[in-house]
Amino acid sequence: MKINMEQLVAYCKQQGFVYQGSEIYGGLANAWDFGPLGVELKNNIKKAWWKRFVQENPYNVGLDSAILMNKEVWVASGHVGGFSDPLIDCKSCNTRYRADKLIEDFTNGKETGDNWPNEKLVKFIYDNNIVCPNCGKLNYTDIRKFNLMFKTTQGVIDDPASAEKNTVYLRPETAQGIFVQFKNVQRTSRRKVPFGICQVGKSFRNEITPGNFIFRVREFEQMELEFFCKPGTELDWFNYWRKYCLDFLKDLGINEADLQLRDHAKEELAFYSNGTTDIEYRFPWGFGELWGIASRTDYDLTQHQNHSGEKLDYVDPDDNSRYIPYVVEPSVGVERLFLTVLFSSYDKETLENGEEREVLHLNPFLAPYKIAVFPLMKKFHSEKAMEVYKLLSKEYMTIYDDAANIGKRYRRMDAIGTPYCVTIDENTLNEDIVTVRNRDTMAQENIKISELVEYFRDKLSF
Ligand code: ATP
């Protein structure tokens, strides 16, 4: 049985995956904190991405750039002038909407309204009688553009003039940190084009309509790759990365039937892009963007070259040609992948004996705890169980549990996705043999303690 959004939010809180932020003060709208299990799952998602995109990919290297950057970066990238959403309010009930999202919801994603001018958005809304979803009236304000960047000041500010001078923005994407370090990374890593730079980090957007739990939040993490290639080869690389991303999702265990690739139509493309695809997941409210993959031509590096006055072109050592590399950008949010992983792995199953079990069929690499260690009877087996716990926790995230009967302990671990439970009983005291139980098959196996660490090695890797 699948889970709906309301149940998932309750489940996440109950198990310690996600709590409401600042809860004891009544919360802060759409701010969420990740609890003991949530932080593990989040870290494992980032580790899996890094392993696949940096460690195992022959083209890519990593970077960790600062959140605060010179504000000229955001002027050059177009974010100061243009990073805005079309805001529209219902005059009857004052509910606020993103005009493009009203259209997207109304047409079930057939039209997204992305990059449409205001007049076209308004005309579409009135022509199609898209009434306010809250009160049913067709009575909207004009569209206003609302810049999504969080603005703050750096250093000591004692007069309004220096406040303006000292303005800094919280980055709304990690990508620009990569573009401005393109030369340094290329030179110091002695990379030849094609190569890519990967980054994982926080981004901030003052979203007009955050919501759907952690799907759209104002503070989130992105995992981004900027892949630099020779002009003319970008669409081949675009296809390469689309497949690479999709394979990654499948390997994480996301059900392929719940994924779809949506190519942006010509009028929806940003003016500099010659190809954009969203990998969408079937969330309970319909398909939604999980991963955006865009062929961005030489737009970003050219903007930074023109604006900074620094040369950002590349000389090809093979034929001495000089060009500004084209860029393919796959960008995914950690929180959206977190949500996707939970929706796709949660299940409520009825067992042969009629009992119900709640189980998270997580890819073992993603599981918050890899192994649970149980003494069968607290009184007799705790000491040995603690020894086994110490042995395994040096290698794997392991949890020790001696409360309640063994059946209940299994259920608790199933519900949080722990792939293996190790039970210590008389057999262990006499012969150093433990029972290992598999979360998905519930089959049990006897394994020698001396072989345990190796036994798990392949099973828990990615
Ligand atoms: P949307 O159309 O949903 O606002 P976008 O097209 O603006 O998203 P991008 O700028 O392409 O998103 O960002 C790349 C990825 O970052 C998205 O695919 C998504 O996974 C993630 N992301 C973007 N905005 C948010 C947000 N407010 N909360 C959580 N994740 C986000």
Side-chain angles (χ1 to χ4, degrees):
M1 196 190 83
K2 289 289 175 199
I3 192 168
N4 66 31
M5 184 57 117
E6 207 182 346
Q7 291 162 336
L8 187 85
V9 176
Y11 165 87
C12 280
K13 179 168 184 188
Q14 159 81 17
Q15 298 290 3
F17 278 97
V18 185
Y19 312 122
Q20 187 183 14
S22 316
E23 191 180 70
I24 63 166
Y25 287 97
L28 172 70
N30 299 290
W32 302 95
D33 294 339
F34 290 80
L37 298 188
V39 64
E40 295 297 333
L41 176 54
K42 226 177 164 198
N43 283 342
N44 293 338
I45 287 173
K46 291 187 272 186
K47 267 191 228 162
W49 184 88
W50 196 265
K51 182 159 187 286
R52 185 59 63 85
F53 281 77
V54 183
Q55 185 177 323
E56 292 176 6
N57 188 281
Y59 300 108
N60 297 342
V61 293
L63 177 74
D64 183 23
S65 70
I67 289 175
L68 301 177
M69 299 201 275
N70 188 312
K71 68 173 186 254
E72 293 307 318
V73 169
W74 305 109
V75 177
S77 67
H79 285 82
V80 169
F83 187 56
S84 52
D85 277 341
L87 186 68
I88 197 167
D89 292 325
C90 170
K91 279 197 223 163
S92 304
C93 70
N94 294 325
T95 310
R96 177 155 288 176
Y97 298 102
R98 261 174 69 175
D100 54 338
K101 291 286 167 210
L102 265 184
I103 292 172
E104 186 175 334
D105 290 348
F106 180 80
T107 61
N108 271 332
K110 285 202 187 74
E111 298 287 353
T112 62
D114 269 10
N115 296 312
W116 287 11
N118 288 357
E119 308 75 61
K120 187 170 172 187
L121 291 166
V122 171
K123 188 167 179 326
F124 194 93
I125 288 171
Y126 281 92
D127 285 356
N128 291 280
N129 197 29
I130 305 180
V131 295
C132 168
N134 185 45
C135 73
K137 301 269 165 48
L138 186 67
N139 183 23
Y140 294 106
T141 60
D142 287 342
I143 289 180
R144 283 153 294 144
K145 290 281 184 187
F146 175 75
N147 194 293
L148 299 183
M149 280 200 294
F150 279 96
K151 204 175 184 180
T152 184
T153 47
Q154 175 161 288
V156 180
I157 309 303
D158 31 31
D159 65 86
S162 56
E164 185 50 36
K165 206 172 74 217
N166 292 329
T167 294
V168 287
Y169 298 99
L170 301 187
R171 68 178 177 201
E173 59 178 35
T174 67
Q176 299 304 322
I178 297 178
F179 294 128
V180 302
Q181 291 295 356
F182 163 71
K183 271 265 134 142
N184 276 334
V185 174
Q186 188 265 320
R187 196 179 323 113
T188 53
S189 63
R190 290 178 289 112
R191 292 278 154 165
K192 283 191 196 169
V193 169
F195 78 98
I197 306 176
C198 293
Q199 167 150 246
V200 178
K202 289 264 183 182
S203 293
F204 302 83
R205 296 182 187 180
N206 203 357
E207 296 278 359
I208 300 167
T209 50
N212 278 334
F213 190 30
I214 53 171
F215 179 83
R216 188 179 304 286
V217 275
R218 296 195 170 106
E219 172 183 345
F220 57 102
E221 279 186 273
Q222 288 184 305
M223 303 189 284
E224 295 198 292
L225 158 65
E226 304 304 325
F227 190 77
F228 302 94
C229 61
K230 191 168 184 158
T233 65
E234 73 278 8
L235 293 179
D236 292 336
W237 286 112
F238 179 61
N239 288 329
Y240 170 94
W241 288 112
R242 285 193 329 170
K243 178 169 181 326
Y244 202 87
C245 296
L246 201 58
D247 286 346
F248 174 72
L249 293 174
K250 287 190 232 161
D251 291 348
L252 285 185
I254 313 293
N255 188 354
E256 217 184 325
D258 292 325
L259 294 169
Q260 72 178 22
L261 292 177
R262 194 181 67 76
D263 295 330
H264 286 211
K266 260 222 165 75
E267 66 271 15
E268 198 192 332
L269 288 175
F271 69 90
Y272 48 76
S273 172
N274 61 359
T276 298
T277 299
D278 291 341
I279 301 181
E280 299 185 331
Y281 178 73
R282 194 199 309 269
F283 291 100
W285 61 90
F287 275 100
E289 175 178 336
L290 168 62
W291 207 324
I293 304 161
S295 172
R296 302 178 59 89
T297 66
D298 59 358
Y299 175 73
D300 306 276
L301 289 180
T302 305
Q303 285 296 107
H304 286 301
Q305 172 167 293
N306 293 346
H307 207 81
S308 67
E310 293 284 330
K311 282 228 151 290
L312 293 176
D313 57 358
Y314 171 79
V315 181
D316 194 321
D318 295 333
D319 59 9
N320 279 327
S321 60
R322 185 181 276 272
Y323 56 85
I324 293 196
Y326 272 32
V327 166
V328 176
E329 175 195 80
S331 170
V332 60
V334 177
E335 287 76 5
R336 285 199 191 170
L337 190 47
F338 185 105
L339 203 54
T340 301
V341 160
L342 286 182
F343 275 125
S344 70
S345 61
Y346 183 93
D347 203 3
K348 228 178 210 170
E349 299 172 350
T350 308
L351 304 178
E352 274 170 17
N353 63 7
E355 234 187 89
E356 223 180 40
R357 77 161 180 159
E358 192 176 37
V359 56
L360 214 51
H361 291 291
L362 281 177
N363 178 313
F365 187 82
L366 297 184
Y369 290 112
K370 309 293 185 235
I371 305 164
V373 175
F374 305 153
L376 181 63
M377 294 206 283
K378 196 170 167 180
K379 197 161 154 199
F380 302 114
H381 309 123
S382 292
E383 200 179 321
K384 191 74 181 171
M386 196 38 95
E387 267 177 42
V388 174
Y389 168 79
K390 283 189 179 149
L391 171 81
L392 292 174
S393 62
K394 280 204 183 304
E395 300 285 331
Y396 311 108
M397 192 71 193
T398 308
I399 183 170
Y400 181 90
D401 187 4
D402 62 10
N405 70 47
I406 200 84
K408 277 203 178 134
R409 282 183 263 171
Y410 281 151
R411 293 292 165 270
R412 270 205 292 269
M413 289 303 134
D414 290 343
I416 61 170
T418 308
Y420 295 99
C421 294
V422 170
T423 302
I424 278 72
D425 56 18
E426 282 307 294
N427 234 348
T428 324
L429 301 190
N430 299 331
E431 296 179 53
D432 267 3
I433 286 175
V434 297
T435 310
V436 177
R437 182 244 193 202
N438 179 304
R439 174 198 67 200
D440 297 333
T441 63
M442 293 188 285
Q444 305 197 355
E445 240 185 300
N446 289 332
I447 308 289
K448 283 189 121 157
I449 290 181
S450 58
E451 291 164 10
L452 261 187
V453 168
E454 276 317 304
Y455 171 84
F456 285 122
R457 183 93 52 208
D458 282 352
K459 297 180 171 60
L460 298 173
S461 64
F462 179 68

